[in-house]
Amino acid sequence: MLVTPPAPSLPIVDVSPFVQPLPAHASAEQRQEHAARKAQTARDLDSACRTFGFFYLVGHGLSESDMAAIRSLAKEFFELPPEEKELVSIAKTDLARGYQRLGQNITQYAKDWHEGFDLYAPVGPDHTIRKRGLKTLAGTNPIPARPENFEPVVNRYVQLMRDLGMATMRAMAVGLGLDETYFDPYMNDSFWVMRLIGYPPLSQGSDGVGISCGEHTDYGCLTILNTDETTGALQVKAKSGEWINADPVPGAFVINIGDMVNVWTNGLYTSTLHRVVHTKSSFRVSVPFFFEPNFDATIAPLPQCIAATGKQSYHPVMYGDHLLSKVTNNFDVSTAE
């Protein structure tokens, strides 16, 4: 059953106290006020993660033009002829980085009705992936000839998202009763992922097609979603079992936590099932940025979270191993040219 409550349907968290540093000459009163605002943000984020696992993020410091630039770039790329997009296909790289045509992404054994372009953090010669001799994720991000400004727009946006991701994780740390910089050593070389996604209207007549994007949880840490104004597409499964629309709020990102946060918090925070069902006539564009742990980071339940839940529910996991186990099942490259 789908429920469409009055917007906004998810909690709103103002992250500005963690984004905007205090000036060096701030007075004692200003410092006290800033600390109080940080504490409030941390409480709001903690509540949102315990209740929904999804929330709207405001006060992030990005302008509307910052947010729109990457969506416009994605739309311009998806409007290119199919043969030009296929020049940067994942089948021509490392089976992960690059373009995926309609139906190439797989969720729960069904084709997702969207096309995408995936980019990952760069891998140097001494990276674990290279040392293991793996092909998956060992390549470089392909840069299409068009749009001509693809690389600088992407690079700028990635840096903005890395900064915002770290600020949000610092708020999460405070909400969990940790030092603000607790997660920094686990995230300071983030093996980030960014997807440019284009959703045509959902076609029910194609063989093997599920929905626009099948229900799933995200397998990393923090997803920062930048989407166009299309409503009624992104749906979140509430704890009641009902699907609710997570419609865009102007100037806000939609944030959800992933499976690694489940592990860290021993289930106090839960990654939430979500899906995309785009039935309107428009071409929907969204750009999720996945702010992930370092590839070699070992994620284990926090002692205070084990104490709060009564027993340890998760085993430690190296993030990169978890990522590889997921990525290798994501795409159908059997018919790639």
Side-chain angles (χ1 to χ4, degrees):
M1 177 181 180
L2 176 63
V3 176
T4 308
S9 56
L10 301 172
I12 296 177
V13 176
D14 179 0
V15 76
S16 59
F18 288 87
V19 171
Q20 302 165 356
L22 269 175
H25 60 271
S27 66
E29 183 179 355
Q30 288 173 321
R31 292 180 185 280
Q32 186 176 17
E33 180 184 353
H34 189 69
R37 291 180 61 223
K38 275 189 167 183
Q40 184 60 58
T41 293
R43 285 193 296 270
D44 291 345
L45 190 149
D46 178 71
S47 174
C49 289
R50 289 173 187 262
T51 307
F52 285 94
F54 264 81
F55 54 92
Y56 294 107
L57 193 74
V58 299
H60 44 69
L62 275 76
S63 68
E64 177 52 41
S65 62
D66 289 331
M67 297 177 71
I70 192 72
R71 299 196 308 265
S72 297
L73 186 84
K75 188 172 187 295
E76 188 176 346
F77 172 79
F78 291 130
E79 288 173 345
L80 295 174
E83 60 273 16
E84 186 170 350
K85 290 183 286 188
E86 286 291 344
L87 293 174
V88 287
S89 165
I90 59 171
K92 292 179 169 65
T93 58
D94 58 7
L95 306 182
R97 303 171 192 261
Y99 172 69
Q100 310 106 45
R101 65 186 177 280
L102 280 173
Q104 197 165 5
N105 196 88
I106 305 294
T107 303
Q108 296 184 358
Y109 308 104
K111 297 177 182 179
D112 292 327
W113 200 243
H114 67 253
E115 54 185 323
F117 193 114
D118 287 12
L119 303 110
Y120 288 79
V123 173
D126 295 328
H127 196 277
T128 300
I129 289 174
R130 294 276 175 83
K131 288 180 178 179
R132 290 184 181 178
L134 302 175
K135 178 177 181 180
T136 302
L137 292 176
T140 58
N141 292 322
I143 305 301
R146 295 192 295 169
E148 293 181 359
N149 62 339
F150 188 92
E151 190 168 18
V153 172
V154 163
N155 288 345
R156 180 174 185 273
Y157 191 77
V158 166
Q159 189 56 57
L160 290 171
M161 291 298 97
R162 291 187 66 179
D163 292 344
L164 179 58
M166 189 65 85
T168 307
M169 290 302 297
R170 289 177 175 175
M172 183 182 293
V174 176
L176 288 166
L178 303 168
D179 181 82
E180 181 176 321
T181 59
Y182 178 86
F183 292 118
D184 286 21
Y186 298 92
M187 313 288 293
N188 58 6
D189 190 25
S190 168
F191 199 75
W192 55 265
V193 186
M194 184 166 77
R195 300 199 74 206
L196 314 178
I197 310 177
Y199 295 93
L202 184 61
S203 171
Q204 299 288 0
S206 298
D207 186 41
V209 171
I211 55 178
S212 303
C213 186
E215 65 180 77
H216 64 284
T217 60
D218 291 341
Y219 39 78
C221 188
L222 198 69
T223 303
I224 307 172
L225 178 65
N226 176 359
T227 184
D228 66 18
E229 68 278 4
T230 306
T231 59
L234 175 61
Q235 300 172 0
V236 176
K237 195 169 189 178
K239 289 187 175 181
S240 64
E242 297 171 325
W243 288 97
I244 62 173
N245 285 329
D247 287 339
V249 170
F253 288 101
V254 180
I255 307 291
N256 64 280
I257 56 176
D259 296 341
M260 293 299 94
V261 176
N262 283 14
V263 177
W264 256 324
T265 64
N266 203 45
L268 283 177
Y269 296 175
T270 305
S271 53
T272 304
L273 283 168
H274 52 286
R275 66 187 184 186
V276 178
V277 183
H278 176 50
T279 58
K280 295 186 176 178
S281 59
S282 62
F283 186 87
R284 178 178 182 262
V285 172
S286 73
V287 182
F289 183 89
F290 303 92
F291 185 61
E292 312 295 43
N294 305 344
F295 190 90
D296 292 329
T298 297
I299 312 302
L302 296 162
Q304 58 268 53
C305 294
I306 295 174
T309 55
K311 67 173 183 178
Q312 183 170 333
S313 301
Y314 296 88
H315 296 293
V317 59
M318 191 182 97
Y319 172 65
D321 288 338
H322 181 71
L323 173 68
L324 286 167
S325 72
K326 299 292 186 178
V327 170
T328 52
N329 295 317
N330 271 3
F331 305 113
D332 175 13
V333 295
S334 61
T335 58
E337 295 179 359

